[in-house]
Amino acid sequence: VQLVESGGGSVQAGGSLRLSCAASGYTYSSSLTGWFRQAPGKEREGVAAIYIGGGIAHYADSVRGRFTISQDNAKNTVYLQMNSLTPGDTAMYYCAARPEGAMGWVLDSLKYNDWGQGTQVTVS
């Protein structure tokens, strides 16, 4: 399994970024892919997740209405569009994947075994 994130960077408050997670090495079409973030000194937090097969998405309350998770199945890629960014969104962002039938809350990082290397998002 390989997950490669990209798209992070530095942006001013109120700005936008789009993160990408390119997936390979597993049955992408029957997976659940999630975006997580971790700020220094804080626990890893689930941000959004999407069932690739049905396109059903879930969001953390802290980002609902500002972030949108989407997929491009032709490219085996999941995106995280982040709008109205605030300094509180500053963190390392990771994507993770698990089989769609695996048990556990979709935004619980402990329920994911496969992770990308992360991409840094800094909002000032």
Side-chain angles (χ1 to χ4, degrees), residues 94-109:
Y94 301 88
C95 69
R98 74 186 207 200
E100 64 182 9
M103 301 298 290
W105 173 231
V106 298
L107 296 182
D108 182 353
S109 63

Side-chain angles (χ1 to χ4, degrees), residues 64-124:
R64 187 175 290 111
R66 299 188 298 123
F67 291 11
T68 302
I69 190 170
S70 63
Q71 62 198 69
D72 183 338
N73 293 344
K75 298 181 179 179
N76 280 16
T77 299
V78 172
Y79 303 99
L80 185 69
Q81 177 67 43
M82 306 186 295
N83 298 329
S84 302
L85 286 162
T86 72
D89 295 315
T90 295
M92 183 71 79
Y93 282 71
Y94 301 88
C95 69
R98 74 186 207 200
E100 64 182 9
M103 301 298 290
W105 173 231
V106 298
L107 296 182
D108 182 353
S109 63
L110 297 177
K111 303 302 183 183
Y112 288 77
N113 293 324
D114 298 305
W115 292 82
Q117 82 289 349
T119 186
Q120 178 67 38
V121 171
T122 302
V123 185
S124 59

